Amino acid sequence: AQKVTQAQTEISVVEKEDVTLDCVYETRDTTYYLFWYKQPPSGELVFLIRRNSFDEQNEISGRYSWNFQKSTSSFNFTITASQVVDSAVYFCALSQVSNDYKLSFGAGTTVTVRA
Amino acid sequence: ETGVTQTPRHLVMGMTNKKSLKCEQHLGHNAMYWYKQSAKKPLELMFVYNFKEQTENNSVPSRFSPECPNSSHLFLHLHTLQPEDSALYLCASSLTTTDTQYFGPGTRLTVL
């Protein structure tokens, strides 16, 4: 079985605040990949990051950072010093060998950054 | 990266119409996908093509008919749709089926 849970439906912050998006996944596979995508109002899903299950190093890219913890099956995403342009729906996704690497998406978290 | 394009961006059609959605990728990828995104629902995978061959049909009704003439183009032919088929239809591509998928901007479909 595989499942991705994004418990936060909506988050609203004021510009320059940090925001953390939670993602919890379920899998029985030892080989899997985790993803984050951003969907701005225009509709396109923009790829942000992919991590494999054997690499637990946290990653930072500009104002974005990701915390992967296998012990808690979590892959959380933090936006530091948020900006209005960060307003979007953010999706966490899982792909795994046993499901032919098809993407299984969470329900998404809507982030609204107010000026 | 704007390597995946979709046309039209918006489409309004009646239940008796026949229309087609087009997806084109300029990334040299070999796998292409159709997803449906309805309001308040997670993204649903519809079809997967790998090297022009369909490898996945996720129990999609026959009123949706995909076509993949080559690895760069993917179509979704629509006929006798229902109002509940109104959604954002997203196309994606990846180098192989194990690689990262890159998405197009989507077609917003409204069925009247």
Side-chain angles (χ1 to χ4, degrees):
Chain A
Q2 61 174 19
K3 186 178 176 182
V4 178
T5 302
Q6 295 180 253
Q8 305 145 308
T9 305
E10 294 182 25
I11 300 176
S12 182
V13 297
V14 176
E15 215 170 12
K16 297 183 183 178
E17 287 185 353
D18 297 348
V19 56
T20 295
L21 311 180
D22 299 332
C23 174
V24 175
Y25 61 94
E26 295 178 30
T27 179
R28 294 179 182 175
D29 285 26
T30 55
T31 301
Y32 54 90
Y33 295 90
L34 295 163
F35 302 79
W36 277 97
Y37 285 88
K38 172 183 179 181
Q39 188 176 39
S42 59
E44 178 178 356
L45 262 74
V46 178
F47 165 72
L48 296 178
I49 189 171
R50 162 176 151 142
R51 301 296 280 179
N52 74 57
S53 52
F54 301 107
D55 183 2
E56 281 193 78
Q57 276 194 337
N58 292 330
E59 182 155 339
I60 298 174
S61 176
R63 295 184 296 106
Y64 295 169
S65 61
W66 292 269
N67 184 349
F68 178 23
Q69 293 195 346
K70 288 178 75 171
S71 61
T72 55
S73 297
S74 65
F75 186 44
N76 296 338
F77 172 33
T78 298
I79 304 173
T80 302
S82 60
Q83 300 176 2
V84 172
V85 293
D86 296 326
S87 297
V89 183
Y90 291 86
F91 291 94
C92 181
L94 165 71
S95 73
Q96 58 188 350
V97 173
S98 64
N99 197 31
D100 297 325
Y101 293 103
K102 287 178 285 190
L103 283 175
S104 187
F105 285 89
T109 298
T110 300
V111 173
T112 302
V113 182
R114 308 185 309 276
Chain B
E1 191 168 22
T2 55
V4 182
T5 59
Q6 289 185 244
T7 56
R9 293 295 308 277
H10 300 272
L11 178 61
V12 179
M13 60 187 288
M15 289 190 287
T16 58
N17 291 159
K18 288 185 180 181
K19 296 287 184 183
S20 295
L21 309 185
K22 179 182 175 182
C23 174
E24 184 173 358
Q25 58 95 0
H26 310 275
L27 301 169
H29 290 169
N30 299 301
M32 297 188 77
Y33 311 78
W34 279 117
Y35 287 86
K36 176 183 179 182
Q37 186 178 29
S38 305
K40 309 296 183 183
K41 285 187 178 181
L43 275 85
E44 302 171 54
L45 178 65
M46 301 175 71
F47 301 103
V48 180
Y49 277 83
N50 193 28
F51 290 96
K52 302 189 301 179
E53 299 298 319
Q54 186 180 122
T55 58
E56 179 82 16
N57 177 336
N58 197 20
S59 304
V60 180
S62 60
R63 57 186 184 270
F64 295 91
S65 175
E67 178 190 0
C68 189
N70 54 62
S71 292
S72 298
H73 293 86
L74 184 64
F75 295 89
L76 188 62
H77 304 299
L78 317 170
H79 62 98
T80 59
L81 294 193
Q82 305 298 311
E84 59 265 28
D85 296 323
S86 299
L88 180 68
Y89 288 86
L90 290 158
C91 174
S93 72
S94 59
L95 182 59
T96 72
T97 54
T98 65
D99 288 302
T100 299
Q101 294 178 31
Y102 294 90
F103 286 78
T107 295
R108 177 78 58 189
L109 174 66
T110 302
V111 182
L112 301 175

